[in-house]
Amino acid sequence: MGDILVGTASWTDKTLLRSGWYPPDVTTPEERLRYYASVFPLVEVDSTYYATPAEETARLWAQRTPPGFTFDVKAFSLLTCHPTRPAALPKDLRVEMAPGKKNLYVQDLDPAVVDQVWERFVSALMPLWEAGRFGAVLFQFPRWFPISKRNKHYILECKRRCDPLRISVEFRNRTWMTEENQAETLDFLRSYAIPYVCLDMPQGYPCSIPPVVAVTSDLEIVRFHGRSDKWTSRDIYQRFGYLYSPEELKEWTPKLCELARETASTHVLMNNCYRDYAQTNARQLADLLRAMPACPVRPPPAQPRDG
């Protein structure tokens, strides 16, 4: 029976910094990460979706957190088939865009450039892996990424390219998890020991994925996106600014405990990142899980004596 690690999908969101969740004397990036790691054992890094990370940054994250703390990291947008601003690439890899074109996709780049993006992305995260702080790279594929032989091959390419870092997969195209395809999708991920990311999210939209709980590897990940009725808004805070009620969180406690019985580790991440909603719900969910009989919720790791 594995541990359940509960955390949030950010520790630096601007509305969180303004919310008062951090104590008044916690004002620097280093202090915020150290404080966060004193409260939760897990965090998801979302900044890596918008730009390739720097190796020195990952090294600092490892140094500022205690043994036992875990980082899940979101894959760079270019690598998940999302539109990417040329300025998000490393300076020496940037390309000139055609007039009127603002974004590029992986197919727009020379394969040698793509190879470099992959190599630098993985290399930059190695300090976390070497320090024993790494969980998984989250590949959140877009709504235009349907189930197909080609896209299955791409998922396996992502797995190969990230080695020795492990990956997890989140879908936003419903074809992967329809009644007709669900077993095929889960069997595919299971056969390669790739964690399927279970979701709690608004239903009834083209990108909605049902809240299926499934084990496909020794690590499982559950992400909570909120249940906002403004899911199609361009304002991310309207989309994700949803505060779960204790009753809604309690719906998940038996499911999460069951996952823990079948895995070595279960990561639970609140992605309702507006003000301190995610932090509040993460604490509430961890408390609810601790109240469950024999449910192994990991506490925050012990902080080093020097701070």
Side-chain angles (χ1 to χ4, degrees), residues 18-259:
R18 293 197 296 261
S19 72
W21 185 75
Y22 286 106
D25 59 340
V26 175
T27 59
T28 68
E30 177 177 356
E31 290 168 344
R32 289 179 190 127
L33 181 54
R34 288 186 184 275
Y35 177 81
Y36 177 96
S38 74
V39 179
F40 299 109
L42 170 72
V43 78
E44 179 183 284
V45 181
D46 283 352
S47 60
T48 47
Y49 172 81
Y50 300 100
T52 52
E55 187 171 335
E56 179 58 25
T57 300
R59 185 172 290 107
L60 289 173
W61 290 338
Q63 292 172 357
R64 293 169 179 176
T65 51
F69 189 82
T70 301
F71 291 86
D72 284 350
V73 178
K74 204 168 183 181
F76 182 44
S77 60
L78 186 79
L79 308 180
T80 56
C81 307
H82 283 87
T84 300
R85 296 176 299 102
L89 294 174
K91 287 184 179 181
D92 63 316
L93 298 181
R94 293 175 190 172
V95 297
E96 290 189 12
M97 299 292 291
K101 189 173 182 180
K102 296 181 179 179
N103 294 306
L104 54 81
Y105 294 83
V106 69
Q107 61 267 26
D108 297 326
L109 295 174
D110 184 285
V113 173
V114 176
D115 289 344
Q116 278 293 306
V117 173
W118 274 108
E119 290 174 14
R120 295 185 193 187
F121 179 81
V122 173
S123 176
L125 299 176
M126 288 306 294
L128 292 176
W129 185 78
E130 292 164 353
R133 305 283 200 279
F134 194 82
V137 181
L138 168 66
F139 281 81
Q140 185 188 78
F141 292 108
R143 62 183 183 275
W144 51 86
F145 189 87
I147 188 170
S148 67
K149 185 176 182 180
R150 177 182 178 180
N151 286 340
K152 287 181 182 178
H153 285 165
Y154 185 70
I155 291 172
L156 295 181
E157 180 184 351
C158 293
K159 182 178 186 295
R160 176 183 62 82
R161 296 261 203 176
C162 281
D163 188 63
L165 306 179
R166 73 184 308 168
I167 72 168
S168 65
V169 171
E170 177 178 329
F171 298 114
R172 288 294 178 85
N173 184 292
R174 63 171 61 184
T175 60
W176 292 93
M177 294 302 289
T178 60
E179 290 185 11
E180 297 80 7
N181 295 335
Q182 187 178 125
E184 177 186 342
T185 296
L186 296 176
D187 285 346
F188 161 69
L189 295 174
R190 196 173 289 119
S191 64
Y192 294 98
I194 299 173
Y196 168 71
V197 178
C198 309
L199 299 177
D200 185 285
M201 67 179 299
Q203 298 297 300
Y205 298 92
C207 63
S208 296
I209 300 297
V212 173
V213 176
V215 175
T216 58
S217 78
D218 62 342
L219 167 67
E220 278 309 318
I221 298 173
V222 183
R223 299 179 81 230
F224 286 75
H225 295 306
R227 301 177 183 179
S228 172
D229 58 3
K230 298 180 175 63
W231 186 247
T232 58
S233 172
R234 292 179 178 272
D235 185 331
I236 61 170
Y237 295 122
Q238 288 188 347
R239 292 180 64 195
F240 294 99
Y242 183 88
L243 185 66
Y244 285 90
S245 70
E247 292 72 26
E248 289 170 328
L249 295 175
K250 199 169 184 178
E251 296 169 10
W252 273 92
T253 54
K255 302 174 186 178
L256 296 173
C257 288
E258 184 60 33
L259 276 179

